[in-house]
Amino acid sequence: MKTGLVLEGGAMRGMYTAGVLDVFMEEGITFDGIIGVSAGALFGVNYLSRQAGRVLRYNKRFNADPNYLGLRPLFRTGNIVDTDYAYRRVPHKLDVFDDETYKSSDVPFYAVVTNIKTGKPEYIKIDSVYEQMDVLRASGSMPFVSRPVKVGRKLYMDGAIADSIPFEKFLDMGYERLVVVLTKPDGYRKKPVPAPLAKAFYGRMYPKFEERIKERHEMYNGTIRRLKKLEAEGGAVVLRPGTHVKISRVEKNPEKLQALYDVGVKDARDAMGRIRAFMPEPDALTADSRGYGEIRK
């Protein structure tokens, strides 16, 4: 019986996910496969590289730099995050990502992207973070403040536009038990994006992507209803922020980033008994026995 981990996006709300995953590393909780969207993909790969604390560390260190995140890179490049800074300099030089440990984990990791021509989600297996960094960048490229990312001959953007919480995809792939990490609190309902905004940005060149943006709130809220049903039936354990932390999608304040991370840590520790009881015995092995490698700080 395969157990999968599903990671919602949410930009800097993903600090909650970072806290949860660091506790999973400490507790030796492992999975047969992982799927992440946007920040869930960008932050989630650190779970397989065994680099506990890295997501918190580099966001607290670099987010406040106006050349890294904010209006300066947006006006200069069309991306609210400086892509060379965030996707090249940081993981290769400034806070090095351990791609070798990631590749040696042997756990399939999928990033969700949205094809802006078709408006449909695609699920791309990440075998090497360094070699497929553009896929991860595409998954996290938020509409209106990011340029489309070319991967091969296709253009992609934020995977959350087409499949915000891809638990049904994992069920279709044969993962029978799911642990799902959400970044919005219980009771959250997404509101529609103003139609004129979507049309102004994407209507002329990418009408199917425009439609996805306009329909996203219905898709998201329906997904939450179906996930709650699965949770009630015992097919999933769902973690969602139990304490409200007001945080921007492009939060720069290190204290707020830390606060939301700490909520993730607390919620994961509080749920640990429930998670261990849920997971089949063969999947609840230690990190070393599954080949995940040493946890690096």
Side-chain angles (χ1 to χ4, degrees):
M1 180 176 288
K2 294 201 299 183
T3 302
L5 175 64
V6 181
L7 306 174
E8 185 183 15
M12 286 304 115
R13 289 193 293 265
M15 296 308 300
Y16 177 80
T17 302
V20 170
L21 295 184
D22 283 357
V23 172
F24 285 181
M25 276 189 263
E26 292 170 1
E27 295 289 337
I29 300 295
T30 64
F31 299 89
D32 298 298
I34 304 171
I35 190 166
V37 184
S38 192
L42 290 165
F43 295 170
V45 293
N46 294 272
Y47 179 66
L48 294 185
S49 70
R50 309 306 292 162
Q51 289 174 278
R54 180 175 181 269
V55 172
L56 177 66
R57 181 174 64 241
Y58 76 72
N59 280 285
K60 289 177 68 174
R61 179 181 175 188
F62 299 114
N63 280 18
D65 184 343
N67 293 306
Y68 179 82
L69 173 69
L71 293 178
R72 190 175 296 177
L74 180 62
F75 291 146
R76 187 176 66 244
T77 69
N79 294 297
I80 200 163
V81 176
D82 185 295
T83 57
D84 181 68
Y85 196 155
Y87 297 102
R88 299 290 183 265
R89 290 172 58 198
V90 170
H92 284 273
K93 296 179 180 180
L94 302 178
D95 197 322
V96 176
F97 178 81
D98 188 349
D99 199 39
E100 291 306 312
T101 296
Y102 174 89
K103 291 188 291 186
S104 70
S105 73
D106 293 326
V107 176
F109 188 105
Y110 300 88
V112 186
V113 293
T114 300
N115 184 314
I116 66 170
K117 183 177 181 180
T118 66
K120 295 181 179 180
E122 295 184 20
Y123 308 88
I124 301 177
K125 185 171 178 287
I126 305 297
D127 296 310
S128 165
V129 168
Y130 279 170
E131 294 175 13
Q132 295 173 275
M133 189 66 79
D134 283 346
V135 177
L136 294 168
R137 181 162 69 90
S139 185
S141 293
M142 297 181 289
F144 311 119
V145 293
S146 305
R147 293 184 180 275
V149 179
K150 189 174 184 180
V151 180
R153 296 184 177 182
K154 299 178 182 179
L155 289 174
Y156 297 105
M157 289 195 76
D158 192 346
I161 299 302
D163 194 352
S164 296
I165 309 167
F167 79 94
E168 289 166 311
K169 178 64 177 179
F170 246 24
L171 292 175
D172 290 343
M173 292 172 66
Y175 292 89
E176 300 169 274
R177 303 169 72 88
L178 302 177
V179 174
V180 182
V181 182
L182 303 180
T183 57
K184 286 103 175 168
D186 194 19
Y188 172 85
R189 293 295 178 269
K190 188 168 288 296
K191 298 179 180 179
V193 170
L197 181 64
K199 185 174 183 63
F201 271 81
Y202 302 109
R204 185 173 65 86
M205 294 186 65
Y206 306 110
K208 293 183 178 179
F209 188 65
E210 175 204 357
E211 287 301 312
R212 279 288 189 175
I213 291 175
K214 292 192 295 187
E215 298 166 354
R216 188 190 171 200
H217 65 291
E218 297 176 351
M219 177 271 292
Y220 183 91
N221 296 334
T223 299
I224 288 291
R225 288 193 295 270
R226 294 189 297 276
L227 179 59
K228 278 182 169 287
K229 184 174 184 293
L230 181 68
E231 184 182 18
E233 293 170 349
V237 169
V238 181
L239 278 73
R240 41 176 80 81
T243 302
H244 175 67
V245 176
K246 187 175 182 180
I247 191 168
S248 165
R249 291 175 63 83
V250 289
E251 186 61 60
K252 295 173 174 288
N253 186 327
E255 293 181 359
K256 290 186 176 182
L257 297 173
Q258 180 73 55
L260 187 54
Y261 172 89
D262 290 344
V263 172
V265 168
K266 180 182 184 304
D267 287 356
R269 287 177 176 160
D270 290 347
M272 195 51 56
R274 184 161 50 104
I275 291 169
R276 289 195 183 281
F278 173 78
M279 309 232 347
E281 188 64 28
D283 292 328
L285 302 177
T286 65
D288 288 343
S289 66
R290 280 292 296 272
Y292 278 30
E294 179 185 359
I295 296 176
R296 293 181 52 200
K297 299 292 186 181

